[in-house]
Amino acid sequence: MTLEKKIMAENDNSHAPIPVSEDVMIDMRSVHKWYDQFHVLKDINLTVHKGERIVICGPSGSGKSTLIRCINRLEEHQKGQIVVDGTELTDDIKHIDQIRREVGMVFQHFNLFPHLTVLENCCLALIWVRKMPRKEAEEIGMKFLERVQIPEQAKKYPGQLSGGQQQRVAIARSLCMNPSIMLFDEPTSALDPEMIKEVLDTMIELAESGMTMLCVTHEMGFAKTVANRVIFMDGGEIVEENEPEAFFSNPQHDRTKLFLSQIM
Amino acid sequence: MAEFVSQPDLPPPVTSVGVIGWLRKNLFSSWANSLLTLLALYLLYVALPPLANWAFIKADWVGESRDACDSGGACWVFTRVRFNQFMYGFYPAAEYWRVNLAFGLLVALMVPLFIEKTPHKGWLAASILLLYPIIAFYLFAGGAFGLEQVETSLWGGLTLTLILSGVGIVASLPIGIVLALGRRSSMPIVKASSIIFIEFWRGVPLITVLFMSSVMLPLFLPEGTHFDKLLRAMIGIVLFQSAYMAEVVRGGLQAIPKGQYEAANALGLSYWKTMGLIVLPQALKLVIPGIVNTFIALFKDTTLVLIIGLFDLLAMIQAAFTDPHWLGYAVEGYVFAALIFWIFCFGMSRYSQALERKLHRGHVR
């Protein structure tokens, strides 16, 4: 497909990486972040391989959202190194653009553009960032709206859709840019209970297709069935990380046990 | 067991529908409301008949001089005789067609923009914005290609009012947007200069700005440089109004949730694309009432140019009733001025309401 070739070509001239093994998509090394005086991320080390599906959980204020928002530079880290698909995140705007092309993001509150139709939401970045002709962009937009099973809503405005539908549009909007990594920041926590399933089903389908995913969520059912790794954060640190089965059946730390006992 | 019989639909009581219902609900719903209604009716009774008597019934409409005005009502002969001057100022009568053509052309070009189905609206609007001022300036000023030159000091009346406010409106919105973005910029120098500019121009009265532009500025310019007075006033008005516009637009920008910026950033949109495609369309829509409010204020503020000797509509009217032939008809003049200004301002207000309704359609949040 032409789009994929285009993106592959773009990857070829990516900047000289710090040596990492072939399939490492995200490499965070002793990352620290402060909000003013508040030390929100403390010495985070995390390596994500291609196709991995990682669930990050933890109490609120533990820094889990901040962690994934650092990966596409919605938040800036002050110390340490983040390398995404061979490109290091620095102040260089070229690197940031390069990484944002690779990384799609889905937000808690969807953040759809309310003044644009569903299809326009999907096509906008293809047209203005990828410089694609409108017609081609709309074909891709429709393809992904079909994939999240709401092609019939294409001409509506986000405000006319239910929360679950809006979140699926947000997922389609990210997928249109053909990212190699998807970040989910509590994608279901703003939804009514009966809509959570439709969003999770979409995410499960995405996981089965081999997408590299980082997901901040409290949906432990999702973590059990989909994740290869579960990370528990508290106080800005990664307290524990393990395969889901071991994580849930045999947590190592007291803080993890306490957290699990509260949410299960 | 008794069979259930559903009740027939009855008409509502007469006191709650129709004229009586409307009166009860809106005019006499409580004793305070009734009192206010009666008071309002009394005031109308006191004010309306004499007004109608003065303005219409006893008014004089035909004639050529003040001698025709002898019936004691309004002397509309005055406004009729001086009508052309009110519209065109001192513009040579033989060249009136140029002014008419310029405004007619503008209307003709604008009409397609208001029709829903016109294709390529953006291009049309852009070409009007770029080409029309050149054509209009040539028509007004002349001086080339066979059109006689008309000095800007001869421009006046409603024509001048419309030129000043038109330029003010078209130029102050984009400058105001840039200043508003500048004031919210993360770059300290851009931010500081925007704040200084806005606070300076907002802190100075428009009269001062106009005086400065017409009296002080020439003193500072090198000997012999001629800088058209109308142009100076225009620049003064534009800078002054764009500071106000900037603050209105900033209000809209602040209302856009952070999530919109984040979503745009995450999709890889640059700063200008984020602003142009995501933030400004939403922010400007939110502040349409404020923007139109500023436009209306600007339109009325253009009358202040009379203090620096430019003859806009109000100045022409004042000049007319201080003419010895027409002394004593100030009231007619001011009523006429008020009517013209009201028509334009009310038109703008209605258009803004229609625009709000149109843009609101489709995406209720």
Side-chain angles (χ1 to χ4, degrees), chain A residues 13-263:
Chain A
N13 56 30
S14 63
H15 298 264
I18 291 99
V20 283
S21 74
E22 268 298 293
D23 67 341
V24 169
M25 295 301 281
I26 303 170
D27 195 17
M28 302 177 91
R29 291 181 195 172
S30 22
V31 171
H32 291 259
K33 172 165 181 62
W34 289 263
Y35 287 125
D36 283 328
Q37 294 296 311
F38 181 54
H39 199 168
V40 59
L41 291 181
K42 297 173 188 163
D43 194 29
I44 301 290
N45 287 288
L46 176 66
T47 306
V48 182
H49 296 268
K50 196 172 172 56
E52 263 197 302
R53 301 172 299 274
I54 295 176
V55 163
I56 305 171
C57 60
S60 63
S62 60
K64 51 197 194 309
S65 286
T66 310
L67 171 68
I68 68 165
R69 287 157 63 88
C70 279
I71 294 170
N72 67 349
R73 248 307 149 107
L74 289 183
E75 301 289 354
E76 206 174 314
H77 60 283
Q78 279 97 21
K79 235 176 116 182
Q81 226 175 12
I82 302 178
V83 180
V84 180
D85 203 14
T87 310
E88 194 191 345
L89 257 180
T90 58
D91 287 333
D92 191 336
I93 195 86
K94 270 189 208 149
H95 290 202
I96 296 172
D97 280 347
Q98 170 75 26
I99 284 167
R100 283 179 178 164
R101 280 164 195 267
E102 294 298 310
V103 180
M105 184 153 195
V106 174
F107 300 86
Q108 180 177 7
H109 296 287
F110 332 134
N111 297 358
L112 293 175
F113 307 128
H115 61 303
L116 301 176
T117 64
V118 164
L119 186 59
E120 285 167 345
N121 263 279
C122 294
C123 299
L124 186 86
L126 289 174
I127 295 169
W128 292 93
V129 180
R130 293 243 190 274
K131 313 282 183 213
M132 198 178 274
R134 177 171 293 270
K135 201 161 164 283
E136 205 179 316
E138 283 182 354
E139 276 167 25
I140 292 176
M142 282 312 292
K143 192 181 94 186
F144 283 104
L145 286 175
E146 267 157 39
R147 185 160 166 197
V148 300
Q149 300 178 356
I150 34 175
E152 71 281 0
Q153 312 286 359
K155 297 287 172 213
K156 287 192 186 166
Y157 287 93
Q160 296 166 298
L161 270 52
S162 74
Q165 289 172 325
Q166 290 192 45
Q167 194 60 296
R168 285 188 283 155
V169 172
I171 294 172
R173 178 175 72 177
S174 289
L175 291 178
C176 282
M177 296 298 281
N178 203 1
S180 43
I181 301 161
M182 284 288 282
L183 308 175
F184 293 85
D185 188 0
E186 306 205 26
T188 56
S189 39
L191 295 174
D192 290 337
E194 75 268 26
M195 292 168 186
I196 290 178
K197 188 175 175 298
E198 63 185 64
V199 172
L200 288 182
D201 285 348
T202 308
M203 289 168 63
I204 290 168
E205 191 267 332
L206 195 59
E208 282 164 356
S209 75
M211 177 69 75
T212 310
M213 291 164 71
L214 261 84
C215 188
V216 173
T217 184
H218 296 124
E219 293 297 328
M220 291 303 137
F222 176 79
K224 278 179 191 163
T225 52
V226 174
N228 330 67
R229 240 195 304 167
V230 180
I231 291 174
F232 174 68
M233 285 184 73
D234 191 17
E237 289 173 279
I238 295 181
V239 174
E240 185 163 348
E241 74 178 282
N242 213 333
E243 289 177 0
E245 213 160 291
F247 179 86
F248 289 110
S249 59
N250 187 20
Q252 302 295 310
H253 294 265
D254 289 343
R255 274 194 282 182
T256 319
K257 283 175 193 160
L258 180 67
F259 177 74
L260 287 176
S261 72
Q262 278 163 342
I263 62 164

Side-chain angles (χ1 to χ4, degrees), chain B residues 177-198:
Chain B
I177 290 173
V178 171
L179 284 171
L181 293 177
R183 191 163 186 169
R184 285 170 59 81
S185 166
S186 55
M187 289 180 272
I189 294 177
V190 175
K191 185 171 181 170
S193 27
S194 301
I195 292 177
I196 291 170
F197 183 95
I198 291 170

Side-chain angles (χ1 to χ4, degrees), chain B residues 272-327:
Chain B
W272 288 108
K273 282 173 188 160
T274 303
M275 289 301 163
L277 297 166
I278 309 298
V279 177
L280 281 174
Q282 296 182 58
L284 292 180
K285 196 190 82 186
L286 285 174
V287 292
I288 288 173
I291 291 176
V292 175
N293 202 24
T294 311
F295 284 168
I296 289 176
L298 187 158
F299 185 73
K300 293 189 291 189
D301 280 353
T302 55
T303 52
L304 289 173
V305 296
L306 76 90
I307 58 134
I308 57 164
L310 291 173
F311 284 85
D312 77 315
L313 176 62
L314 192 64
M316 282 314 297
I317 288 174
Q318 287 194 346
F321 64 65
T322 47
D323 175 349
H325 297 295
W326 292 103
L327 272 181

